[in-house]
């Protein structure tokens, strides 16, 4: 099975669908995850209320370039080691120096 990466994660479902459609019209296969959990806003923990765009690892660079061309600001990412939030441009956690890891199988 091909590895996939989180391209963008955030709480704006309309924006996620817009980006998904734009990427798909350019031939990039996109999977939208977390949409069903948006109905739990206010009852679920905040970190579970994200919608995420996932793309194949081999298409991630192309997808990032397309979003960058649209001036899409990447949201913060959460460290898997210490759970601290980091700016999108950081490749290492500012708190514990763990490497950024958003790859899931």
């Amino acid at each position: 099975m091909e590895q996939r990466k989180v391209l963008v994660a955030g709480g704006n479902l309309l924006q996620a669908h817009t980006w998904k459609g734009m990427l798909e019209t350019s031939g990039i296969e996109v999977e939208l995850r977390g949409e069903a959990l948006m109905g739990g806003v206010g009852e679920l923990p905040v970190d579970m209320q994200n919608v995420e765009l996932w793309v194949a690892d081999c298409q991630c660079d192309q997808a990032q370039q397309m979003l960058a061309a649209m001036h899409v600001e990447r949201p913060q990412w959460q460290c898997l080691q210490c759970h601290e939030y980091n700016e999108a441009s950081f490749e290492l956690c500012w708190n514990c120096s763990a490497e950024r890891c958003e790859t899931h199988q």
Side-chain angles (χ1 to χ4, degrees), residues 7-64:
L7 180 64
V8 177
N12 188 328
L13 187 58
L14 179 60
Q15 192 173 55
H17 273 285
T18 301
W19 292 339
K20 180 180 186 287
M22 189 255 329
L23 292 169
E24 287 178 335
T25 58
S26 299
I28 297 175
E29 185 180 328
V30 180
E31 181 182 349
L32 181 64
R33 295 184 186 176
E35 183 174 14
L37 295 175
M38 294 305 291
V41 171
E43 296 189 25
L44 291 173
V46 174
D47 62 339
M48 290 185 67
Q49 298 173 17
N50 282 338
V51 286
E52 301 172 338
L53 294 181
W54 289 68
V55 297
D57 196 23
C58 64
Q59 293 183 313
C60 191
D61 289 338
Q62 181 186 2
Q64 287 174 338

